[in-house]
Amino acid sequence: MMQNVHLVPEEEEDDLYSGYNEYNPAYDTEDLENDVAFQQAVRTSHGRRPPITAKIPGTAAGRPLGTAFGARVNLSSSKGRLMTGAVQDGVARPMTAVRAAGFTKSALRGAAFDPLGQSRGPAPPLESKNEDTPEEKLKQMEKNVNELIEESCIANSREDFKQALEKAKEAGRKERVLVRLREQVQTPENINLDLTYSVLLNLANQYSANEMYTEALNTYQVIVKNKMFNHGGRLKVNMANIYLKQKNYSKAIKFYRMALDQIPGVHQEMRIKIMQNIGVAFIKTGDYADAITSFEHIMNESPSLKAAFNLILCYFAIGDRDKMKKAFQKLIDVPLGIDDEEKYIPPNDDPHTNLLIEAIKNDSLRQMEQERKALAEKYIMTAAKLIAPAIETSFADGYDWCVEVVKTSQYVELANDLEINKAITFLRQKDFTQAVETLKMFEKKDSRVKSAAATNLSFLYFLENDYAQADVYADLAVSADRYNPAALTNKGNIDFINGDNEKAAEYYKEALRNDSSCTEALYNLGLTYKRLNRLEEALDCFHKLHAILRNNSQVLSQIAALYEMLEDPNQAIEWLMQLISLVPTDSHTLAKLGELYDNEGDKSQAFQYYYESYRYFPSNIEVIEWLGAYYIDTQFCEKAIQYFERASLIQPTQVKWQLMVASCYRRSGNYQKALDTYKEIHKKFPDNVECLRFLVRLCTDIGLKEVQEYATKLKKAEKLKEIREQREKSGSSRSRRDGREGSASSDSGQSSGTSAKGERLSAKLRTLPGSNDPYEVSSSKEIDASYVDPLGPQMERPKTSAKRRAEEEEFADEELGEDLLPE
């Protein structure tokens, strides 16, 4: 079989193409004129016969093709030239090309060398497709439908659900038109079922995204019932999800199980997810036994954090202590599938490895690992707090068991966090002793845990007003971890309480440098600047805080107060209006709005907000006083009476409110009611000069016999008042004389103290809160509702003039500075 196969000898490998310049002498054209045989052949018919040509391949008479199983015969050309690859003198001639590259016969006629055919010019334009054909129209319509589906999905990803639904509906309409045209042009077998499936599925998804659950279920039902869609039954998962959102848990479980039957066993992950949803649905229905069965099946097949945590919840619901412990251990043993932290510690001797580790230290995969680990720690911490009181006889014992289990697992660092949470739980239970003992156990631990424990201890002592101990533990927390923002904030709070505002501000700013999202430090820094009267800086702090906490009522309240202090009432009103939108029933904010509008001269708006404030908190004396005065100014004295009567109930020891009630009766023309009211006031305050004056005037006008009696009492009261004024003048002159002499006497101190007492009482009753007074959203004032007789114990009537004068002087000493001026 290999007899006709000739290989090139090894000695000729170096000169494979040698012999091309050597040729057979028969091909020498220079001696043809002297060749007798050639000249004879040209002159005879032998030279004019046609050349022998090969048969056309493929005909019956053609030369049989050579194969590997047959002998191959070398053929000669008509001129007697050996064919390429033929054997001559025992040497195989190598194969060559049919013709030389770039060489044609036209070159002999003077044509230019143009192997690429560039001289022929550009190629003719492509023939345009005829778009009028039905097939092209159908393809274009199908393309438009696909584009609408893509636009709908993109709008859904942007959470523009309304636009996504409109695109999905338009795609459905065009797809139905396409189907009708395709049925007219082509056979029904050529209908694109994949396109129909995509249109219906996208439409159902958009209905569900827009919470149009009935339409979504109907669309899914169309897909599921169509037998031409091979995997349409799997969409029962989507239908079950909708029933779960509608809280129709029985139907949700039914469709989840139907979908589970449609999914083959090779799709293990999908089946596990469906089982997870079935377990959640059983928990919603309170069927914890079936839920436990589902979650246990998941933990046996493919353990996950969610399944383990839900299993703990189910065992907690049925109160099975042993199963709770086993489920907690299963939760800890769930593999996370993440690398060790040591992988990201760069070695010191390999710079290339250091660069590689630096590149992957915070990439997306690393972030995913950290998120998964943080989620696992969250589940473990929550589960421990949940089952600790239930698995043992006491909360502390249960927590200790959880800590021991965690210490033997891959989450060793969580043990300290569990101990700190144990102390925090003691705080919530108001067991401060146990909390302090638990936190003090961390004083000898590593710096991070020590700082956290010391921070909590500092805050605990701060709440108990033990600022010395709070300062000690705040220093310990800062020294253990200088970058702990909570510790720095606690240290700043101590300095704030001690009045060292500059130092407190430095601690707050350092806490913000370590953690710019520490809202407590930013809020306290604003308060510190406010106390230092650096109002612009304080306003800047609270504006930054408002950008972080958009709807925090305390921040809005502070911003409004700062604008008021900056004498910008319009901005203060604007921010208080935002505050009212969050806490519409806050009486103090409403009163502050009324005060600002009153200062601006808008009485109607001021009355509206003051009245709303009174409606929500009818015990605010300042609001009651303003409303009463407003009705008196508008000549509606009858309406002012109810407000002053309420004020007299709140402060029964203050004669001012009862005098205002009587004055309203008198101004409205009800003299008899006014007289009775003055008599009641005289019984409670027999030495009140203003009450006696009005009694004398009313009795005179009406013509009553008690005029002389009240006139006598009025003279006595006026004389007593004169004695008080003289004593006050003598005391003040003595104080000035002692001051000039350089010595302070006790009488001067007594006089100034009693004067200050009167001023404080007058300010409390007559003035509204100033712009410097802080106000909180939930602030409330303590009201003294008890009645104290201003005369003290009852004194006997004087027997002689000397004794009476002495008793009057003693009474004047006791009541100095307590008089109130009438309206």
Side-chain angles (χ1 to χ4, degrees), residues 96-150:
T96 60
V98 176
R99 68 180 183 179
F103 178 78
T104 60
K105 291 182 179 180
S106 60
L108 299 176
R109 297 191 293 269
F113 180 74
D114 188 16
L116 300 179
Q118 296 178 358
S119 61
R120 291 176 295 181
L126 297 175
E127 295 181 2
S128 60
K129 293 183 180 180
N130 187 5
E131 297 183 356
D132 294 336
T133 60
E135 290 78 6
E136 290 298 328
K137 290 183 178 180
L138 292 176
K139 288 182 180 179
Q140 187 62 34
M141 292 182 67
E142 187 172 329
K143 181 180 178 181
N144 294 337
V145 172
N146 283 318
E147 289 176 353
L148 286 172
I149 293 174
E150 291 178 1

Side-chain angles (χ1 to χ4, degrees), residues 751-791:
S751 174
S752 61
T754 53
S755 176
K757 183 179 179 182
E759 290 176 0
R760 287 196 303 271
L761 183 58
S762 177
K764 181 179 179 181
L765 294 176
R766 295 181 178 276
T767 63
L768 292 172
S771 60
N772 292 327
D773 295 337
Y775 58 96
E776 300 292 339
V777 175
S778 58
S779 64
S780 59
K781 297 182 179 296
E782 295 182 0
I783 304 299
D784 184 10
S786 60
Y787 173 75
V788 180
D789 190 354
L791 299 181

Side-chain angles (χ1 to χ4, degrees), residues 703-774:
L704 297 178
K705 298 179 180 179
E706 294 94 337
V707 174
Q708 189 62 36
E709 179 183 355
Y710 290 128
T712 305
K713 293 181 178 180
L714 177 60
K715 290 180 181 180
K716 294 179 181 178
E718 289 176 344
K719 187 175 181 180
L720 181 61
K721 186 176 180 181
E722 290 177 0
I723 295 173
R724 290 177 180 174
E725 292 176 353
Q726 290 176 0
R727 188 175 183 85
E728 183 179 358
K729 290 179 180 179
S730 62
S732 60
S733 61
R734 188 183 305 114
S735 299
R736 287 193 298 271
R737 184 172 62 255
D738 293 341
R740 286 193 301 270
E741 294 174 356
S743 61
S745 64
S746 59
D747 292 339
S748 174
Q750 182 180 0
S751 174
S752 61
T754 53
S755 176
K757 183 179 179 182
E759 290 176 0
R760 287 196 303 271
L761 183 58
S762 177
K764 181 179 179 181
L765 294 176
R766 295 181 178 276
T767 63
L768 292 172
S771 60
N772 292 327
D773 295 337

Side-chain angles (χ1 to χ4, degrees), residues 347-359:
N348 298 326
D349 54 349
D350 190 353
H352 178 72
T353 306
N354 292 343
L355 290 175
L356 178 61
I357 293 176
E358 188 67 26

Side-chain angles (χ1 to χ4, degrees), residues 25 34 120 166 552:
N34 299 326
R120 291 176 295 181
E166 291 177 358
N552 188 281

Side-chain angles (χ1 to χ4, degrees), residues 327-491:
F328 185 76
Q329 291 174 338
K330 288 181 179 180
L331 174 63
I332 291 179
D333 295 336
V334 171
L336 297 181
I338 61 177
D339 295 329
D340 296 333
E341 294 292 334
E342 298 179 356
K343 173 183 176 182
Y344 300 98
I345 300 176
N348 298 326
D349 54 349
D350 190 353
H352 178 72
T353 306
N354 292 343
L355 290 175
L356 178 61
I357 293 176
E358 188 67 26
I360 67 173
K361 184 181 294 184
N362 198 29
D363 61 353
S364 57
L365 181 60
R366 171 66 170 161
Q367 292 175 2
M368 186 186 72
E369 291 179 349
Q370 291 176 342
E371 290 174 0
R372 185 178 297 178
K373 185 176 181 181
L375 180 64
E377 292 176 353
K378 177 183 176 182
Y379 280 136
I380 293 172
M381 297 287 289
T382 306
K385 288 189 287 186
L386 177 68
I387 67 174
I391 58 177
E392 298 292 345
T393 56
S394 67
F395 161 77
D397 294 339
Y399 235 113
D400 292 338
W401 181 87
C402 293
V403 170
E404 293 300 324
V405 173
V406 170
K407 284 182 178 179
T408 59
S409 68
Q410 57 182 329
Y411 305 98
V412 180
E413 64 276 5
L414 277 183
N416 293 326
D417 295 337
L418 284 173
E419 290 282 2
I420 292 178
N421 278 338
K422 175 182 175 183
I424 294 174
T425 307
F426 279 130
L427 289 178
R428 290 174 179 168
Q429 295 176 353
K430 297 184 179 180
D431 191 350
F432 300 109
T433 304
Q434 288 291 336
V436 171
E437 291 179 0
T438 305
L439 291 173
K440 285 184 177 180
M441 294 169 54
F442 293 95
E443 293 183 1
K444 297 182 180 180
K445 295 290 183 71
D446 62 324
S447 59
R448 185 185 67 85
V449 179
K450 182 193 299 184
S451 178
T455 301
N456 291 335
L457 281 170
S458 175
F459 181 68
L460 177 60
Y461 283 120
F462 185 86
L463 293 179
E464 293 180 343
N465 297 329
D466 190 352
Y467 301 124
Q469 285 293 327
D471 192 16
V472 170
Y473 283 101
D475 290 334
L476 180 62
V478 172
S479 62
D481 185 3
R482 187 70 186 186
Y483 300 100
N484 186 351
L488 293 168
T489 303
N490 284 348
K491 182 62 178 175

